[in-house]
Amino acid sequence: MYKLCILTNIKNHIVPIKKMQQIPIRYFKESTSKKRFKILKIENEVFENDMIQELHRHTFFFALFLEKGSGEHIIDFKKYPIKNHSIFFMRPGQVHQITLKKGSSGYLVQFDKNFYAPTKKPSKFILRKVSYKNYCTLNSENFEKLLNILTSIHKEYVQKEKFYEEVIKAQLQTLFIKIVRQSKNPEKISKTESYSQEKLEEFFELIENNFSSRKKVAEYANMMSLSNFQLNKITKETLGKTSSQVLNDHILLEAKRNLLGTSNQINQIAYHLGYEDASYFIRFFKKNTGISPEKFRKNFK
């Protein structure tokens, strides 16, 4: 939905500002399907031409598993090289653009929460942890293990035998567990570290869903059944940042997404981010980046 912001000019006439431009959003084509999942072979998508996608965001999870590949993937304005045995995993709402060269191979997996939304705490934690791991590379042996699972998922998806969706969900969970294991040896993670990491990723998810209406750390701590001190301790131990810095970082990221991904006016972006006073947003942005939103936009382009 577009938002409409109103300004008053010097003669006290009400002047409507043009509608808010949005970063292009991609949805599942099968919009009538309640259980949205898709897995495609990359080699079929880049058989004759490169895959070039301009800046956009998705309403669903998006994961690339590249057995062979070259090109560039920019996620939230951070550039990643596309290499053999690389994985890209994106959450709904993240902004990206990609150039994937012809001849690449692997799998593209897409799904939304209507299809895969685990309710048990350990499974929810695993999905959350994987989805915040935007990029990683594996050795050929470890990637081969994932490739075997993906091949099996693709077979289930194509053949659609009885209960195939349940089989795919079970295989997705196995796939995600194996990805999580690549980041750290689970045997060396203490219970305290595991708890802190789980709470940190819960904090991330809450911020992503509420940042435009809730800008006080105390509100998030309350939703997580923590004190401000406890939440601050977790973010300092895991990230070396205060919880306020973590919250501000996400607001700044969404601001940058809109500054670079749209031509919206600064006051429109401020309103979209939950600031009724655009001057307050400008001060906030400048304080945290050292430059004004307008200058940031000009410098990047």
Side-chain angles (χ1 to χ4, degrees), residues 33-37 112 114-115 165-166 169:
S33 173
K34 292 182 179 180
K35 298 178 180 179
R36 301 182 182 98
F37 173 84
D112 68 8
N114 288 323
F115 180 82
E165 290 178 340
E166 300 309 311
K169 291 174 189 177

Side-chain angles (χ1 to χ4, degrees), residues 42-56:
I42 293 295
E43 48 267 43
N44 295 337
E45 305 300 308
V46 290
F47 180 72
E48 295 182 344
N49 300 298
D50 296 346
M51 177 193 289
I52 301 175
Q53 296 183 356
E54 298 299 328
L55 193 73
H56 65 281

Side-chain angles (χ1 to χ4, degrees), residues 42-43 63-69 82-88 104-109 135-151 175 178-179 182:
I42 293 295
E43 48 267 43
L64 272 174
F65 299 85
L66 292 161
E67 181 181 20
K68 179 183 176 183
I82 294 176
K83 302 177 180 179
N84 295 351
H85 308 135
S86 58
I87 302 171
F88 295 91
S104 298
S105 63
Y107 288 97
L108 168 60
V109 176
Y135 172 69
C136 69
T137 57
L138 307 180
N139 60 39
S140 57
E141 182 182 351
N142 287 330
F143 191 88
E144 187 68 27
K145 294 175 183 177
L146 301 186
L147 198 61
N148 290 336
I149 300 172
L150 288 161
T151 301
L175 180 72
K178 288 189 177 294
I179 295 172
Q182 306 306 321

Side-chain angles (χ1 to χ4, degrees), residues 94-195:
Q94 285 195 280
V95 172
H96 78 131
Q97 58 191 101
I98 185 171
T99 300
L100 182 60
K101 296 296 184 179
K102 182 175 67 173
S104 298
S105 63
Y107 288 97
L108 168 60
V109 176
Q110 300 172 346
F111 64 94
D112 68 8
K113 292 181 179 179
N114 288 323
F115 180 82
Y116 184 80
T119 55
K120 292 183 179 180
K121 198 172 182 179
S123 298
K124 288 176 68 176
F125 171 62
I126 290 165
L127 176 59
R128 189 183 297 139
K129 187 171 180 64
V130 169
S131 68
Y132 279 95
K133 192 182 182 76
N134 284 153
Y135 172 69
C136 69
T137 57
L138 307 180
N139 60 39
S140 57
E141 182 182 351
N142 287 330
F143 191 88
E144 187 68 27
K145 294 175 183 177
L146 301 186
L147 198 61
N148 290 336
I149 300 172
L150 288 161
T151 301
S152 180
I153 292 174
H154 185 263
K155 183 178 178 181
E156 290 287 341
Y157 178 73
V158 171
Q159 294 182 349
K160 290 181 170 53
E161 294 182 3
K162 191 174 183 180
F163 303 124
Y164 78 95
E165 290 178 340
E166 300 309 311
V167 174
I168 289 175
K169 291 174 189 177
Q171 291 176 325
L172 283 177
Q173 183 167 4
T174 302
L175 180 72
F176 299 156
I177 289 171
K178 288 189 177 294
I179 295 172
V180 169
R181 284 177 176 175
Q182 306 306 321
S183 59
K184 213 170 184 180
N185 185 345
E187 295 177 359
K188 295 182 180 179
I189 299 176
S190 69
K191 289 184 178 180
T192 302
E193 289 175 316
S194 179
Y195 171 81

